[in-house]
Amino acid sequence: MNPFSYQGPVEPHALIDRRLELDALQRAAADRVAIRLAAPRRFGKTSLLDAHIASMRAVGHRAVRIDLSKVANVGDVAARVAESFSVLPTDPRRSVRRWAARLGVTAKLAGVQLSIAPSAARPGADEARAALLELLDVPLGLHEADGGVTIVCLDEFQDLLVADDALDGLFRSVIQHHAAAAAYVFAGSQPSLMRALFSERERPFYGQARPLELPPLPIDEAARDIEVLLRADGLDAGGAVDELLAFTGGHPQRTVLLAHHVYNLLDQPGQPEDLATAAIDLALAETRDVHQAVWDGLGRVERIVLLALADGQAPTGSRVADEHRIARSTLQDALERLLADERNVRRDDQDRPFVLDPLLGEWLRRR
C-alpha cells in the first residue's frame, strides 16, 4: 500500500517531520497554555492536530478535535461540539447525551455508538446558544469528577464568525474558567483572520493564546522521512526526492502528493528516466481542473500579477506594467487583493510575494 496519503489528513504515524511543532503543542498542553495555530490550507494543520491528540491520548489524557469548518449558525456549532465531545467518557452532568439528542447528532457515548435520529424541530438560536454554553463546560465537569485534563483542538476556529460574529465572546466567557481543566488549541487556515481574532483589542480573545505558525516542511528532514518510507518497501528514488523538495519548497500537501506518485512510478515496471519530472507531470494532470478554476476566478489584472510571480518577475515592476500597459498602482492593488485572499499568494520571510502552490506556479509557467 502506498504510504503517502494526500487526499486528507494523514495518520499520526505517517506525519512527515513536525517534531518541533508537536513538542511545542505538548509543552503548552502540560502548562495549560492556549495555542493559536495558523497555517494556509493544505499545510497539514489538521494532520498535526490529529497527531497531537494521539500523543495526548497515549499518555492518558482526554483529547478531541472539533471541526468548525463551514458552520452556518449557532446550532451547527453546538452540534459539532456535541458530536466531538461524545467520544469522551460520559460527563457527570450528562450534557452531551441530553443535548446530542436535542441537536439531532450521532453520539458515541462511553465507547458505544448511540445513534440518535434528528429531531423533527431543530433548536432555535436561543436554545442552541444555551446548549453551546453548557456543552463547552463539559471539560470542567470531567475535571471536577476525576482531576484530569482535556485537550481541546478547535479546528477552523475563524469560521465561528461566519455563524455569529459574537461567538468568540461566548466561547471566551466559558473556557476562561478552565485553567486547570483543559488545554486549548485554536487552529485556522486564514492566518490574517486568526491574527485579528487574537490581536485586536476589541476581540474577546485578545492576547489569550500563544502564536504558533506552521511553516513549510524542513527540506532535509522531509527528504529523510520520505526516503525511509520508500526504502521500507525496497524502493530507491535516487536524487528524485531532493529534486521534488526543491520544487515544492516544503509545501506539505504537494510534497506528499509528489512522493505518492514517485512511489507508484518506482513500484511498477518501466521506470522513467527523469523520475521527478514524471511525478510532476502526473500531479499536474491530477490537479489541472483545480488550477483552471483558480484562473477562471481571477480578473485580468490579477492573472497578470499571478503569471508574473510564477515567472519570477516583479509583479508590480515597470517591465510588467509596460508590457501590459497597466499602471503600476493598478498592479499593486491587484497584488494586495491576492495577498488578502490568502489562498494563492503569500509573502515569504523576506516579505517577497510568491505563488503558494508550486503546482499552480508550474501550471502557469506551462500555459
Side-chain angles (χ1 to χ4, degrees):
M1 181 178 176
N2 193 316
F4 301 103
S5 176
Y6 64 91
Q7 291 187 328
V10 302
E11 294 294 324
H13 70 272
L15 192 68
I16 294 177
D17 196 69
R18 298 308 192 200
R19 297 169 183 83
L20 291 176
E21 290 80 8
L22 280 171
D23 183 64
L25 289 172
Q26 291 161 12
R27 288 177 182 273
D31 295 336
R32 309 296 192 270
V33 173
I35 291 288
R36 167 173 60 85
L37 174 66
R41 294 189 187 279
R42 297 197 297 266
F43 251 57
K45 167 180 56 62
T46 300
S47 297
L48 178 67
L49 294 178
D50 287 347
H52 177 48
I53 288 168
S55 66
M56 291 293 95
R57 289 176 176 172
V59 296
H61 295 308
R62 294 179 288 265
V64 295
R65 177 170 64 88
I66 303 173
D67 181 7
L68 297 171
S69 62
K70 297 180 175 63
V71 287
N73 51 50
V74 181
D76 281 352
V77 176
R80 300 280 183 93
V81 174
E83 184 178 12
S84 297
F85 279 179
S86 70
V87 302
L88 298 172
T90 306
D91 64 290
R93 300 162 187 167
R94 303 296 189 270
S95 302
V96 175
R97 181 186 295 273
R98 175 162 45 84
W99 281 112
R102 297 178 71 172
L103 292 164
V105 301
T106 298
K108 305 177 186 68
L109 299 169
V112 179
Q113 182 164 328
L114 173 66
S115 296
I116 304 171
S119 56
R122 296 297 291 264
D126 289 343
E127 190 177 11
R129 193 173 294 271
L132 190 53
L133 283 166
E134 190 170 346
L135 287 165
L136 288 173
D137 239 356
V138 165
L140 180 59
L142 292 169
H143 175 74
E144 290 172 344
D146 62 16
V149 63
T150 303
I151 313 303
V152 182
C153 299
L154 297 155
D155 203 1
E156 299 299 351
F157 184 67
Q158 78 281 329
D159 282 7
L160 277 183
L161 302 188
V162 177
D164 187 321
D165 187 65
L167 274 182
D168 56 336
L170 185 148
F171 270 66
R172 169 74 176 138
S173 70
V174 177
I175 68 178
Q176 65 180 330
H177 304 295
H178 294 179
Y184 288 90
V185 180
F186 304 93
S189 57
Q190 293 178 265
S192 63
L193 186 52
M194 288 292 292
R195 281 193 296 272
L197 278 167
F198 291 86
S199 62
E200 292 182 356
R201 291 183 179 274
E202 64 271 17
R203 302 305 315 191
F205 277 102
Y206 170 72
Q208 295 300 311
R210 177 186 297 167
L212 177 63
E213 298 290 331
L214 196 56
L217 295 172
I219 301 300
D220 291 343
E221 290 85 348
R224 182 193 62 223
D225 287 355
I226 291 170
E227 287 169 350
V228 166
L229 289 171
L230 290 172
R231 285 198 297 269
D233 285 345
L235 303 176
D236 182 4
V241 172
D242 290 333
E243 292 179 50
L244 291 177
L245 279 161
F247 171 79
T248 66
H251 186 293
Q253 196 274 344
R254 293 324 197 194
T255 297
V256 177
L257 168 59
L258 289 169
H260 178 94
H261 285 300
V262 164
Y263 184 100
N264 284 347
L265 288 166
L266 291 172
D267 198 36
Q268 63 189 21
Q271 180 178 324
E273 287 187 19
D274 190 336
L275 187 59
T277 298
I280 291 171
D281 289 344
L282 288 170
L284 283 171
E286 183 173 343
T287 57
R288 179 174 50 234
D289 291 345
V290 174
H291 304 320
Q292 186 65 54
V294 170
W295 182 259
D296 292 343
L298 298 175
R300 174 176 175 265
V301 185
E302 283 83 1
R303 290 180 178 181
I304 291 170
V305 169
L306 203 60
L307 279 169
L309 287 171
D311 288 337
Q313 300 182 59
T316 62
S318 300
R319 180 178 176 182
V320 174
D322 293 344
E323 179 182 353
H324 296 280
R325 298 182 181 180
I326 298 174
R328 294 181 64 184
S329 60
T330 302
L331 292 169
Q332 183 65 44
D333 289 343
L335 174 60
E336 294 302 327
R337 288 194 293 272
L338 288 168
L339 287 165
D341 181 73
E342 294 190 311
R343 288 179 293 180
N344 301 307
V345 178
R346 292 194 75 193
R347 292 190 183 275
D348 63 17
D349 293 339
Q350 298 179 345
D351 205 36
R352 297 172 302 192
F354 70 101
V355 179
L356 181 61
D357 181 353
L359 286 176
L360 174 60
E362 182 65 16
W363 183 82
L364 290 167
R365 286 187 289 273
R366 294 188 184 191
R367 282 184 61 82

